Amino acid sequence: MNRFTEEVITQLRYYVYILVNPIDHTVFYIGKGTKNRVFAHELDYLKTDFSNDLVEKQKLNEIKTIHSNGMEVEKYILTFGLSEDEAFHVENAVINFCKLIDDKN
């Protein structure tokens, strides 16, 4: 699947999602979005010249590695039906929680 139906988009409103590397099962990106945002990263990889933004470059390199192994990025919607403000706060909380977990390992 590389896009949601209009019916699903209406139900999702704003959502928070994660992108997971299927090779080592690690989360490499946490984001918020509407419509088909969760699918856009792999499309960006296909047409981007690997930006000067370090975080963006790391994300696109991860996608390149996944694709070069004949796999697709795993995408998970963590929560949905949110306002933009709620999505921003949930995204921030998930990012901070993951940093906390990483710091303990």
Side-chain angles (χ1 to χ4, degrees):
M1 174 192 311
N2 61 3
R3 63 182 305 114
F4 295 121
T5 65
E6 287 302 317
E7 181 181 348
V8 170
I9 287 171
T10 300
Q11 294 293 316
L12 286 174
R13 296 180 51 211
Y14 276 87
Y15 57 90
V16 175
Y17 61 92
I18 59 172
L19 302 181
V20 175
N21 183 326
I23 299 166
D24 60 9
H25 308 289
T26 57
V27 173
F28 68 91
Y29 188 79
I30 300 161
K32 65 174 172 38
T34 61
K35 301 179 181 172
N36 289 300
R37 177 64 183 141
V38 69
F39 303 108
H41 303 283
E42 285 180 286
L43 297 174
D44 290 346
Y45 152 74
L46 295 172
K47 60 185 174 190
T48 301
D49 63 352
F50 288 75
S51 159
N52 289 330
D53 176 342
L54 181 61
V55 172
E56 186 72 7
K57 189 172 190 160
Q58 288 173 330
K59 177 186 69 175
L60 295 174
N61 278 329
E62 191 89 16
I63 294 169
K64 179 182 178 184
T65 299
I66 292 165
H67 283 200
S68 68
N69 279 280
M71 303 173 93
E72 290 187 26
V73 174
E74 293 179 0
K75 304 159 199 74
Y76 297 94
I77 305 296
L78 298 180
T79 188
F80 63 94
L82 306 172
S83 68
E84 183 177 16
D85 192 52
E86 291 168 329
F88 175 80
H89 290 294
V90 171
E91 176 192 38
N92 187 46
V94 173
I95 289 169
N96 287 329
F97 176 75
C98 287
K99 287 179 183 176
L100 178 69
I101 297 299
D102 282 347
D103 288 347
K104 293 199 180 236
N105 291 329

